[in-house]
Amino acid sequence: MDRIAREMMTHDFADAAWQERHAITRVDQLRAWMGVAAGDDLMRDIELGLARAPMAMRITPYVLNLIDWSNFLQDPIRKQFIPVGSEILPSHPLRRMDSLHERESSPVDGLVHRYQDKVLLLATDRCPVYCRFCTRSYGVGLDTQSVSKKRSPAFQSRWDTILAYLRATPVIVDVVVSGGDCFRLKPSRILTIGMGLLSIPSIRRVRFATKGLAVLPMKVTSDHEWTDALAEVSDAGRNRGVEVSFHTHFNHPREITAYTIAAAELLFKAGIRMRNQSVLMAGVNDDPEVMQQLVKTLSDLHIQPYYVYTCDLIDGIEHLRCSVRLACQIEKAVRGITAGYNTPLFVVDTPGGGGKRDVHSFEHYDSQTGIAVYQAPSVRPKQLFTYPDPLHSLAPDVQVAWSDPQHAKRMLTDAVEAGRANSTGFE
Ligand code: SF4
């Protein structure tokens, strides 16, 4: 776009601080950015979308530059960050604000302990961008018109408690530092967290999880203090026999640019292991060719494609969710195109806190009612977990059945009974 070309000449587009300063957070800023593409009807549609979205808007100029404005409504980058009211479908009746029950699994504020030997450390509630489909829409980002976020106390006040819990629980060997996004952590905090975790002898692996490399890659190449802090933690971990890795979040091959390549090369040369987690979304990457290209391109950057998640059951994103059947089909199309270790596992993060399950591993799946039933023996052995397909993937009469609470309850009970009959460990 002319405007962006001008910005790039007058500002340092490759500077992360400039990107942060110029992030778009309001509709009037977006209108100004869009210029002639911002018709009144479209802007009203965006305002309507934002009014119903659980996530606030924040988009870097870099991401705005990735959007094909001539194909705004269908653009796979736009769909991740800018809601439009006309595409939002009624949410599934099973959606919940904290659909993975993370807060129930938090022994101390800001630490989710669901799996036996692994925890999730929520180090911040801020991100360089806000994604519409965020699992943590209950607590990440600013309040929206529809959601008042559940805030954790300030990090400094809970850090000692978190460290004490980790020291007292030596079964935990693996810590994911997330949030929010570690791109919003100051270098001093990266060091505090990284070195603090490395001081605990039982911890063997630390992962810093971020969408940042996909939406603000110039952070790695221009914020030297931040990148040096990450490299320092990585080096210290290696010297102590602890793996410190970097988990990225790319969803579409168009998110990979010359800026990404430069950043990934720098991290690779610094010896930092990288893995990617994607979210499968309709109209974004629910196409075998798109997913294949994403997997190949990431592999070439030494970013190991690790997981592809189905969307969680979050408000306002029913149109982005894909069925279990489609997830299985795309997984089959991807498996075999490259080395197995670069082939992502397609997973359902089961609503209700069963954790991640291989999408194919259901005990029962009825594509008519759209209910998949999963067992989670090492997380909650006595329970079965259901994941529903999006309503729009079901026949009209089944969609009507879901809107009747009694009928919906019966479909769920029948599915769980069928799952129980097929599964082991429930005698
Ligand atoms: S960057 Fe991650 S934590 Fe932040 S809004 Fe996106 S998905 Fe959520």
Side-chain angles (χ1 to χ4, degrees):
M1 293 174 73
D2 290 349
R3 179 188 163 82
I4 294 172
R6 276 201 311 278
E7 295 281 8
M8 290 177 76
M9 288 172 68
T10 54
H11 296 276
D12 191 357
F13 195 81
D15 176 31
W18 182 89
Q19 290 281 338
E20 294 269 15
R21 274 199 309 279
H22 290 80
I24 298 288
T25 58
R26 298 192 316 267
V27 174
D28 61 308
Q29 294 171 319
L30 185 63
R31 181 191 281 272
W33 181 278
M34 290 170 73
V36 289
D40 285 345
D41 288 350
L42 179 57
M43 296 317 292
R44 264 194 299 277
D45 208 3
I46 292 171
E47 279 171 3
L48 187 61
L50 283 169
R52 295 169 62 180
M55 297 302 289
M57 181 168 66
R58 182 181 166 87
I59 316 170
T60 53
Y62 171 75
V63 171
L64 289 168
N65 198 27
L66 298 179
I67 294 172
D68 176 359
W69 297 90
S70 65
N71 189 28
F72 180 80
L73 288 177
Q74 301 310 321
D75 185 80
I77 312 296
R78 190 285 300 170
K79 284 178 186 234
Q80 298 181 54
F81 305 107
I82 306 176
V84 292
S86 56
E87 71 185 358
I88 295 179
L89 298 172
S91 291
H92 195 283
L94 297 185
R95 66 99 177 74
R96 297 286 177 272
M97 186 47 77
D98 175 10
S99 72
L100 304 183
H101 292 200
E102 290 188 332
R103 281 172 293 168
E104 276 177 26
S105 304
S106 297
V108 297
D109 249 324
L111 195 74
V112 181
H113 188 185
R114 166 166 304 136
Y115 303 96
Q116 292 173 3
D117 71 350
K118 186 193 98 170
V119 289
L120 173 66
L121 196 169
L122 304 177
T124 173
D125 58 13
R126 298 300 149 104
C127 307
V129 297
Y130 292 125
C131 314
R132 308 196 43 205
F133 48 90
C134 182
T135 300
R136 236 150 271 130
S137 54
Y138 64 84
V140 163
L142 304 175
D143 289 350
T144 67
Q145 290 180 47
S146 60
V147 182
S148 296
K149 307 283 168 157
K150 307 283 180 227
R151 303 268 169 234
S152 286
F155 175 80
Q156 209 50 50
S157 68
R158 54 193 167 92
W159 179 226
D160 288 345
T161 315
I162 288 172
L163 278 180
Y165 180 82
L166 294 174
R167 282 208 180 90
T169 321
V171 69
I172 296 167
V173 297
D174 195 332
V175 181
V176 180
V177 181
S178 184
D181 195 303
C182 68
F183 262 45
R184 293 302 293 275
L185 298 177
K186 291 195 167 82
S188 58
R189 187 145 291 170
I190 294 274
L191 287 169
T192 301
I193 293 173
M195 296 307 183
L197 295 174
L198 292 178
S199 74
I200 302 174
S202 46
I203 290 177
R204 308 298 301 148
R205 293 177 289 281
V206 176
R207 320 179 216 168
F208 286 91
T210 177
K211 176 86 181 160
L213 206 61
V215 295
L216 191 63
M218 49 284 288
K219 175 93 172 166
V220 172
T221 45
S222 68
D223 187 344
H224 304 299
E225 202 188 338
W226 188 91
T227 307
D228 287 350
L230 184 70
E232 192 177 330
V233 175
S234 169
D235 290 345
R238 198 173 306 110
N239 288 334
R240 294 172 203 198
V242 177
E243 183 193 78
V244 177
S245 57
F246 198 63
H247 278 212
T248 64
H249 177 179
F250 291 91
N251 292 324
H252 192 280
R254 265 188 28 219
E255 292 169 333
I256 296 165
T257 66
Y259 292 103
T260 327
I261 294 168
E265 279 180 358
L266 193 156
L267 294 172
F268 178 69
K269 284 179 183 161
I272 298 173
R273 182 161 191 184
M274 295 174 280
R275 303 185 188 92
N276 187 67
Q277 306 186 174
S278 301
V279 179
L280 182 66
M281 283 175 278
V284 175
N285 54 15
D286 63 334
D287 173 328
E289 280 182 24
V290 170
M291 196 57 85
Q292 287 171 348
Q293 195 188 341
L294 179 63
V295 163
K296 289 267 206 188
T297 312
L298 289 170
S299 303
D300 289 347
L301 290 178
H302 308 295
I303 302 174
Q304 184 183 1
Y306 169 42
Y307 276 147
V308 175
Y309 291 81
T310 55
C311 272
D312 293 324
L313 286 170
I314 295 157
D315 237 349
I317 61 153
E318 187 70 359
H319 64 289
L320 288 175
R321 293 205 304 121
C322 298
S323 66
V324 163
R325 185 213 296 255
L326 181 58
C328 290
Q329 285 169 350
I330 295 178
E331 192 277 344
K332 282 180 193 164
V334 169
R335 187 159 296 281
I337 61 158
T338 189
Y341 67 87
N342 274 332
T343 304
L345 188 69
F346 282 59
V347 293
V348 170
D349 210 339
T350 49
K356 291 176 268 296
R357 311 307 301 168
D358 180 334
V359 70
H360 292 281
S361 70
F362 44 77
E363 307 301 327
H364 168 79
Y365 176 48
D366 181 343
S367 58
Q368 301 299 310
T369 60
I371 304 173
V373 182
Y374 292 92
Q375 201 181 0
S378 51
V379 179
R380 293 199 193 169
K382 298 288 179 206
Q383 210 175 324
L384 286 169
F385 296 86
T386 55
Y387 181 84
D389 287 343
L391 295 174
H392 62 80
S393 69
L394 306 174
D397 59 319
V398 184
Q399 295 185 31
V400 171
W402 271 108
S403 66
D404 170 4
Q406 291 304 324
H407 204 145
K409 192 173 171 192
R410 205 158 50 241
M411 288 193 293
L412 283 164
T413 305
D414 290 349
V416 168
E417 281 311 311
R420 200 177 296 277
N422 291 339
S423 62
T424 54
F426 284 98
E427 309 73 37

